[in-house]
Amino acid sequence: MNLWVYAAKRVLLMIPTLLGALTVTFVVMQFVPGGPVEQIMAEARAAAGPGAGEGGGYKAGRDLDKKQRDELMKLYGFDKPAHVRYFEMLGSFLRFDLGKSFLQNKDVWALIKEKLPVSLSLGLWTFFISYLISIPLGVSKAVREGSRFDAATTFLVLLGYAIPGFVLGVLLIVLFAGGSFFEWFPLRGLTSDHWAELSAWGKVKDYLWHLVLPLVCLVIHSFAVTTLLTKNTFVEEIRKQYVLVARAKGLGERRVLYKHIFRNALIPLVTGFPAAFIGAFFAGAVLIETLFSLDGLGLLGYESIVRRDYPVVLGSLYLFTLIALVVKLLSDLLYTVVDPRVQFTAVSR
């Protein structure tokens, strides 16, 4: 019962958190110069060319611009007061209607679904590769704490973490993607132009080959925290009394490690799976997707902010904030599944 009370209170706390994120973003947008109407008109003038307004006179051109601007303001709802637009937005979000993009004339849901496969590819591979590397490495570092192996790997892990993913990506492109030295890997996209013509195995190889450089950038930056967390958690468990008792009973080191220590030390890592899984889709993805021309959610969000496509910005923020809050709740509840000693009795008082 206490668990359900805790979950209900956390769900109720999500509402002001979600409202706060949306409200702050909405308010900031009201003061940002160069809104979507101005963006559309500027693009229309650029497409018309430098001589588009000649012959009609300055006043006629100015009146035409004003008329177009008024029509666009009405079309996108900017003729309404800000507070009216704000509550209309909240009403739409309650129905999970994320609106329609101003500039791409598509539903925000459709845009997210269109870009999701790229972010899924990057996120899933980053998550699995990071954990496959960091957990065995963290265990090895804990068992050999203080050794040269521990010191050397700590230096390499922290060095990889300190290098920004974007900088590493530029370096990899220069070295291995035809920048100045070797042309071993493709420069952009997740597949080649002739991908449809390849065999099934050829498509798999082509897809994986395109993933190499982006994944190197994302994995190197993301697995350092998990590696050090794994090491510190195992070191803490190794020093506990029950390990000394198990060793005193004559149990072998491998049995002590994998039967007793491993189960307890993995609790923080297992409970962090949901957050790490979701975080892998977005952490650093904007710069990496931009650098390698990967048309995913990160690039969509960046372009929407630059071009003032407010429905995409607010709709994506609403969806991803809601997902993050739910995942955080699941991570906390997962503690009670993997460790029955965790109780929420204090919450119910």
Side-chain angles (χ1 to χ4, degrees):
M1 181 63 183
N2 291 328
L3 178 63
W4 292 109
V5 173
Y6 173 80
K9 289 187 175 183
R10 284 290 302 273
V11 169
L12 290 176
L13 286 174
M14 289 181 187
I15 298 175
T17 304
L18 192 59
L19 281 176
L22 290 173
T23 303
V24 169
T25 306
F26 183 87
V27 170
V28 168
M29 285 180 173
Q30 308 312 305
F31 299 98
V32 175
V37 173
E38 288 75 10
Q39 292 275 335
I40 293 172
M41 293 185 67
E43 290 178 4
R45 291 193 198 101
E54 295 177 1
Y58 173 75
K59 186 176 185 302
R62 185 177 59 184
D63 291 341
L64 183 60
D65 279 353
K66 185 179 184 304
K67 183 180 179 181
Q68 290 175 334
R69 187 177 187 279
D70 292 340
E71 290 176 353
L72 287 172
M73 293 283 284
K74 185 176 181 180
L75 176 64
Y76 296 131
F78 289 106
D79 57 329
K80 302 175 184 178
H83 68 278
V84 174
R85 288 185 281 116
Y86 173 75
F87 286 109
E88 286 181 350
M89 176 193 73
L90 292 183
S92 298
F93 285 172
L94 282 175
R95 302 189 303 270
F96 282 91
D97 178 7
L98 303 184
K100 179 176 286 188
S101 168
F102 290 156
L103 301 174
Q104 303 191 48
N105 198 30
K106 291 183 180 179
D107 288 336
V108 176
W109 275 114
L111 283 173
I112 291 175
K113 291 177 183 177
E114 183 181 314
K115 313 297 182 183
L116 189 59
V118 173
S119 295
L120 275 175
S121 292
L122 292 175
L124 286 172
W125 284 110
T126 301
F127 174 78
F128 287 120
I129 294 175
S130 296
Y131 269 83
L132 285 174
I133 295 174
S134 57
I135 291 180
L137 180 58
V139 174
S140 299
K141 287 171 63 62
V143 173
R144 306 176 192 178
E145 186 190 19
S147 66
R148 291 182 179 179
F149 171 81
D150 182 29
T153 51
T154 298
F155 173 77
L156 293 176
V157 165
L158 294 179
L159 179 63
Y161 183 74
I163 300 175
F166 186 78
V167 174
L168 179 60
V170 172
L171 179 62
L172 292 176
I173 288 174
V174 171
L175 291 176
F176 304 115
S180 299
F181 296 91
F182 307 102
E183 196 171 354
W184 293 348
F185 297 97
L187 181 58
R188 60 183 69 246
L190 279 183
T191 55
S192 300
D193 295 335
H194 61 286
W195 188 77
E197 303 170 6
L198 298 174
S199 63
W201 176 239
K203 289 179 179 180
V204 171
K205 289 194 298 182
D206 183 73
Y207 164 73
L208 294 176
W209 204 240
H210 280 76
L211 276 176
V212 171
L213 296 186
L215 284 181
V216 169
C217 299
L218 291 172
V219 168
I220 285 182
H221 194 68
S222 65
F223 87 102
V225 174
T226 308
T227 299
L228 296 180
L229 175 62
T230 303
K231 177 204 168 180
N232 293 335
T233 306
F234 269 81
V235 168
E236 183 180 351
E237 291 295 325
I238 288 172
R239 293 172 178 172
K240 287 185 177 179
Q241 189 68 32
Y242 74 88
V243 177
L244 298 177
V245 172
R247 287 171 174 168
K249 289 182 177 180
L251 297 179
E253 282 296 319
R254 291 182 63 86
R255 188 175 181 186
V256 172
L257 177 63
Y258 291 106
K259 185 176 180 179
H260 298 280
I261 299 174
F262 201 79
R263 180 175 57 186
N264 294 324
L266 282 184
I267 289 175
L269 299 173
V270 171
T271 53
F273 274 1
F277 182 75
I278 296 298
F281 293 107
F282 310 110
V286 176
L287 295 176
I288 300 304
E289 287 180 11
T290 304
L291 182 64
F292 291 97
S293 300
L294 302 173
D295 195 11
L297 294 175
L299 188 58
L300 173 66
Y302 171 75
E303 290 179 345
S304 301
I305 293 172
V306 170
R307 302 180 68 190
R308 309 293 193 269
D309 198 348
Y310 295 159
V312 179
V313 175
L314 289 167
S316 302
L317 176 70
Y318 169 72
L319 180 62
F320 299 146
T321 303
L322 184 61
I323 292 174
L325 291 172
V326 172
V327 167
K328 178 60 178 172
L329 174 60
L330 291 176
S331 297
D332 292 343
L333 297 179
L334 196 56
Y335 267 105
T336 62
V337 176
V338 299
D339 189 356
R341 296 172 297 176
V342 176
Q343 299 293 330
F344 297 107
T345 52
V347 179
S348 61
R349 293 175 184 174

